[in-house]
Amino acid sequence: MPPPVLETPDISIIDTRCSTTAISGPQDVPGQDRFEVLFVWAGCFTLRDARGTVLVDSTTCVMGSPGQSAEVAHPVPGGDRYTQITMSAQVWHQLTGDEEVPLSARVPGWMQVAGR
């Protein structure tokens, strides 16, 4: 994993390139010990967990909560480029106030362009 862009005890931001050169079936992804938001800037993959299944690309971000594992599959070759933001429960609740973490959310157009 590349070095973090930002790392504090409460928040971490990491930019990653995943070089998948072939279509791959489901792979287990272990749960984090923090909340996370993943923004995909290039490529796509499917993510499935207890909340459902979503196709993730630059128009969609996915969210996870502590201990939640998932399966990821790459339906097309070419790899991904994404930013992973992880945060402590305190930061998550300050930002959202929500107890339930949604599986995904729409990424607004201005953010899609900024990510490219």
Side-chain angles (χ1 to χ4, degrees):
M1 192 157 261
V5 174
L6 170 73
E7 184 151 25
T8 72
D10 286 319
I11 193 163
S12 175
I13 300 173
I14 299 172
D15 285 326
T16 302
R17 284 190 184 274
C18 173
S19 57
T20 304
T21 57
I23 296 171
S24 65
Q27 300 171 346
D28 290 329
V29 177
Q32 299 270 341
D33 60 349
R34 296 159 47 114
F35 287 86
E36 76 174 326
V37 180
L38 191 78
F39 294 96
V40 175
W41 308 116
C44 71
F45 58 88
T46 57
L47 182 135
R48 179 175 58 205
D49 67 12
R51 298 168 294 172
T53 302
V54 63
L55 175 64
V56 185
D57 62 13
S58 63
T59 66
T60 310
C61 69
V62 289
M63 291 166 260
S65 57
Q68 190 161 29
S69 59
E71 286 184 343
V72 173
H74 290 86
V76 296
D80 311 310
R81 187 171 59 84
Y82 60 88
T83 299
Q84 177 186 32
I85 303 170
T86 61
M87 63 199 83
S88 67
Q90 179 182 0
V91 171
W92 176 267
H93 294 300
Q94 283 177 341
L95 292 173
T96 68
D98 295 336
E99 289 300 318
E100 237 178 271
V101 179
L103 173 59
S104 62
R106 192 114 173 96
V107 175
W110 67 267
M111 190 178 250
Q112 294 171 38
V113 171
R116 292 181 188 151

